[in-house]
Amino acid sequence: MISTDLEQISLQLESENSRDRLLALASLRQVSAEEAVPLIKKVLDDEVLQVRSMAVFALGVKQTDECYPILVKLLETDPDYGIRADAAGALGYLEDPRAYEPLSRAFYEDTQWLVRFSAAVSLGNIGDVRAKNLLLQALDSKETVMQQAAIAALGEIRAVDAIDEILRFANSEDWLVRQRLAQALGNLKTEKSLSALNFLTKDPQPQVREAALFSLNLLQQDD
């Protein structure tokens, strides 16, 4: 992107109007990561939460060596739990194996379920098998969204030995939980997975049936 455009975005990020700052962040989609990150950093401490949130998310998309330490610091120290959750989510986008430690700490130590949820999702995104025991604990959460995240993440890390633990959700009252299960089973090739997926193809919820059929097709292609 030519420098005049970058200068315009930079000026827009200094506008007193938060909508201008949001639009400026959105326009960084067309900018290289090396050029975007210094501009994103200008609004990481913005007074408007929505601007901060969008900036944190942008650090997960526009990846440079600077992004990881910034996101870890936000996850560990920011007073706003929404920003901590955003930072956890952005770390998942980086897919950096170093994030296993700070995400695990956030899951165990943060008092806000939204942060713990984002950490569980991101542990699935980075695909680190060390997260298995943590994710198995998340299955017992009272929050159904946490159960959804844990099931999906166990599928992403291909924790085949966790199949029995996630299959207990095949009759969950929450269809989103059953959908996540159907999706996860597509990564876990066992006889039990095939049997469960055939069961889920008869689910009363069309989204669950669709996910089960897709996963069955995936597993059969591997044959």
Side-chain angles (χ1 to χ4, degrees):
M1 181 172 280
I2 58 177
S3 59
T4 51
D5 288 340
L6 288 173
E7 287 167 16
Q8 187 176 350
I9 294 171
S10 183
L11 286 171
Q12 201 173 5
L13 286 168
E14 294 170 10
S15 168
E16 292 183 4
N17 188 322
S18 62
R19 185 171 176 275
D20 288 340
R21 301 198 296 278
L22 286 168
L23 288 171
L25 282 171
S27 66
L28 290 174
R29 291 183 195 134
Q30 315 301 326
V31 177
S32 71
E34 288 71 23
E35 292 173 319
V37 169
L39 296 173
I40 294 166
K41 286 165 63 180
K42 293 178 70 167
V43 287
L44 278 175
D45 294 317
D46 199 276
E47 61 188 28
V48 176
L49 191 61
Q50 190 180 0
V51 176
R52 291 193 70 209
S53 179
M54 191 170 179
V56 173
F57 173 78
L59 288 178
V61 179
K62 299 292 182 181
Q63 303 176 11
T64 71
D65 291 341
E66 276 192 282
C67 297
Y68 176 79
I70 292 172
L71 290 170
V72 169
K73 185 178 180 182
L74 287 168
L75 173 63
E76 293 179 341
T77 65
D78 200 275
D80 189 283
Y81 74 87
I83 295 298
R84 298 199 303 277
D86 289 334
L91 282 168
Y93 279 101
L94 294 184
E95 297 182 357
D96 188 324
R98 292 177 297 170
Y100 169 75
E101 296 290 348
L103 287 171
S104 297
R105 280 197 302 275
F107 177 83
Y108 285 119
E109 297 173 9
D110 204 291
T111 57
Q112 295 290 335
W113 73 264
L114 185 62
V115 181
R116 300 175 73 240
F117 167 79
S118 290
V121 171
S122 286
L123 285 165
N125 290 343
I126 64 175
D128 196 315
V129 295
R130 292 177 293 172
K132 187 187 80 170
N133 289 335
L134 175 157
L135 295 169
L136 288 174
Q137 287 185 37
L139 290 177
D140 294 324
S141 170
K142 293 175 182 175
E143 301 283 350
T144 56
V145 289
M146 187 70 80
Q147 294 170 356
Q148 293 168 26
I151 291 167
L154 285 163
E156 288 184 273
I157 67 170
R158 300 182 183 275
V160 175
D161 52 348
I163 190 77
D164 289 337
E165 283 87 349
I166 65 171
L167 284 182
R168 61 190 166 101
F169 293 93
N171 289 308
S172 170
E173 292 180 6
D174 189 321
W175 71 265
L176 284 167
V177 171
R178 303 196 304 276
Q179 183 188 39
R180 294 294 181 276
L181 174 61
Q183 292 165 340
L185 291 173
N187 291 323
L188 306 172
K189 191 167 187 180
T190 69
E191 287 300 319
K192 287 181 178 179
S193 300
L194 292 167
S195 177
L197 285 168
N198 279 310
F199 170 75
L200 290 168
T201 60
K202 303 175 183 69
D203 195 272
Q205 192 71 29
Q207 291 94 328
V208 178
R209 297 197 298 271
E210 187 179 329
L213 286 167
F214 184 82
S215 287
L216 268 178
N217 189 42
L218 274 181
L219 294 180
Q220 287 160 358
Q221 284 176 0
D222 289 343
D223 290 336

